[in-house]
Amino acid sequence: QDQKVLAGFYHEVETHITHLPGVVAEGAVSALPLTGSVGWGGIHVEGYNPPPGQELQVDQRDASTDYFRTMQIPLISGRFFSDQDNLESPKVAIIDQKFAQRFWPHHDAVGKHLWFDPKKPITIVGVVGVVKQYGLDTDGKIATYFPMQQGPDRGTFLVARSSSDNPGLSNAITREIHAVDPAVVIYGIRTMNDRLHDSLARQRFSSTMLGAFASFALLLAAVGLYGVMSYLVTQSTHDIGILVALGARRENILALVVRQGMQLTLIGIFSGLIGAAALTRVIASLLFGVSATDIATFLAVPALLALVAFAATVIPAWRASSVDPMVALREE
């Protein structure tokens, strides 16, 4: 009787919230991603016999009919939950793609069975995409979803997707829930963007510090490269004076000096790229949405260093080729 009351309550809340202006979709789940909430336990899988003394542990979440659509979790095969998956209907479940690939890599998982009680099999009706439940840098357990209407919980997370950034929507949702039951306690109202931002606090600090040190290192490399190249060209002032005295044109001298300087630069850049590619695995855990071998980064940094080397070569070479040959020769 208590489960019927809870199921009716959640259904009425969903009806109220769905009709709010700006709400595109809404749903509910027992453990919302990036909240620290957990829910796992043992389960039996058709065709799998765990080692003696062990039990298969999976993430277990109760989800409403429209939870997957609200969170935009893709359907891989089968179907989502429907209103027909209630207390009177046969038990069903949805598993994630990781679960399906582990136990049925070459077969369709839909139609297979799970169970807590051997006398009460649970039919798999759908396979959905994998969700980063505990953080973008953490791989969770294989996950199983059960219809909230078949086993509603007193504590749950309500999620709503809106068509615009409406700061008053949370207040409107709260009013609708209290219109159904004024005694319901509501807390922890936040956007998923805020939760995502907080979950990346440690990685964000690490990447900020790493970026600061990397920028400083790049600056030092650019200054050092300019100084070395300028020194090498300045040391060649005597040779440049001889070339000028023999009638060499300025553009030919510049081309010769730049070619020699850029050859050294390219050797250094190529060696640096090999080392950088080998070390990207060290910082791979700090990158989200950016590949460890990001093409833009691997092109921008060498281009900057090449530009610095070019300036460090051309400027002193131009200056040296502009002086009187006799003055340049006396500098030896």
Side-chain angles (χ1 to χ4, degrees), residues 215-294:
S215 299
F216 184 64
L218 181 61
L219 177 61
L220 288 180
V223 172
L225 180 61
Y226 186 91
V228 170
M229 297 304 297
S230 296
Y231 176 77
L232 292 177
V233 175
T234 302
Q235 289 296 98
S236 303
T237 300
H238 178 72
D239 297 333
I240 293 175
I242 294 177
L243 293 175
V244 173
L246 293 176
R249 300 174 61 184
R250 174 181 292 181
E251 52 268 28
N252 293 334
I253 295 174
L254 289 176
L256 175 64
V257 175
V258 170
R259 183 168 61 251
Q260 293 176 344
M262 294 308 294
Q263 285 176 350
L264 294 175
T265 302
L266 292 176
I267 292 173
I269 289 176
F270 183 72
S271 301
L273 286 174
I274 294 177
L279 293 175
T280 49
R281 294 182 180 179
V282 178
I283 62 171
S285 62
L286 300 176
L287 303 176
F288 304 102
V290 179
S291 170
T293 54
D294 182 53

Side-chain angles (χ1 to χ4, degrees), residues 65 68-69 73-82 85 94 125-128:
T65 302
F68 302 100
R69 298 185 185 92
I73 301 173
L75 180 67
I76 307 301
S77 64
R79 65 173 177 86
F80 290 130
F81 296 138
S82 68
D85 298 319
I94 290 176
V125 296
V127 179
V128 297

Side-chain angles (χ1 to χ4, degrees), residues 14-38:
E14 290 176 355
T15 303
H16 278 67
I17 294 176
T18 300
H19 294 90
L20 284 175
V23 174
V24 177
E26 63 76 39
V29 69
S30 59
L32 188 67
L34 306 181
T35 59
S37 58
V38 297

Side-chain angles (χ1 to χ4, degrees), residues 20-312:
L20 284 175
V23 174
V24 177
E26 63 76 39
V29 69
S30 59
L32 188 67
L34 306 181
T35 59
S37 58
V38 297
W40 62 72
I43 198 169
H44 299 280
V45 179
E46 178 182 338
Y48 173 72
N49 295 315
Q54 297 185 18
E55 187 179 36
L56 177 66
Q57 294 286 316
V58 301
D59 274 347
Q60 298 177 9
R61 306 161 197 166
D62 296 328
S64 68
T65 302
D66 290 326
Y67 170 72
F68 302 100
R69 298 185 185 92
T70 303
M71 296 293 286
Q72 295 185 337
I73 301 173
L75 180 67
I76 307 301
S77 64
R79 65 173 177 86
F80 290 130
F81 296 138
S82 68
D83 292 335
Q84 283 67 46
D85 298 319
N86 51 41
L87 290 170
E88 287 74 30
S89 63
K91 299 292 184 180
V92 296
I94 290 176
I95 63 175
D96 70 359
Q97 194 171 15
K98 185 189 295 186
F99 195 130
Q101 289 175 346
R102 175 174 173 179
F103 293 101
W104 303 284
H106 306 297
H107 301 85
D108 190 357
V110 176
K112 304 297 184 182
H113 295 90
L114 313 171
W115 64 84
F116 300 103
D117 182 345
K119 297 180 180 179
K120 299 178 180 179
I122 303 169
T123 303
I124 298 173
V125 296
V127 179
V128 297
V130 178
V131 175
K132 290 285 189 178
Q133 181 75 13
Y134 307 109
L136 297 185
D137 60 342
T138 304
D139 289 329
K141 296 181 175 67
I142 53 180
T144 308
Y145 300 87
F146 302 101
M148 187 164 287
Q149 294 295 96
Q150 290 189 341
D153 197 330
R154 287 186 175 274
T156 189
F157 290 90
L158 180 71
V159 291
R161 178 176 294 277
S162 63
S163 57
S164 61
D165 186 11
N166 181 4
L169 182 59
S170 60
N171 292 331
I173 292 175
T174 300
R175 287 195 299 269
E176 293 298 328
I177 296 175
H178 282 159
V180 178
D181 187 346
V184 172
V185 178
I186 301 173
Y187 62 93
I189 301 176
R190 303 190 68 191
T191 66
M192 287 305 296
N193 283 336
D194 289 340
R195 296 187 186 279
L196 177 62
H197 184 272
D198 290 347
S199 72
L200 296 176
R202 180 179 60 83
Q203 293 87 345
R204 189 166 54 252
F205 175 78
S206 299
S207 60
T208 299
M209 295 301 297
L210 186 62
F213 285 123
S215 299
F216 184 64
L218 181 61
L219 177 61
L220 288 180
V223 172
L225 180 61
Y226 186 91
V228 170
M229 297 304 297
S230 296
Y231 176 77
L232 292 177
V233 175
T234 302
Q235 289 296 98
S236 303
T237 300
H238 178 72
D239 297 333
I240 293 175
I242 294 177
L243 293 175
V244 173
L246 293 176
R249 300 174 61 184
R250 174 181 292 181
E251 52 268 28
N252 293 334
I253 295 174
L254 289 176
L256 175 64
V257 175
V258 170
R259 183 168 61 251
Q260 293 176 344
M262 294 308 294
Q263 285 176 350
L264 294 175
T265 302
L266 292 176
I267 292 173
I269 289 176
F270 183 72
S271 301
L273 286 174
I274 294 177
L279 293 175
T280 49
R281 294 182 180 179
V282 178
I283 62 171
S285 62
L286 300 176
L287 303 176
F288 304 102
V290 179
S291 170
T293 54
D294 182 53
I295 298 300
T297 302
F298 275 75
L299 291 177
V301 174
L304 174 60
L305 293 177
L307 181 61
V308 171
F310 179 79

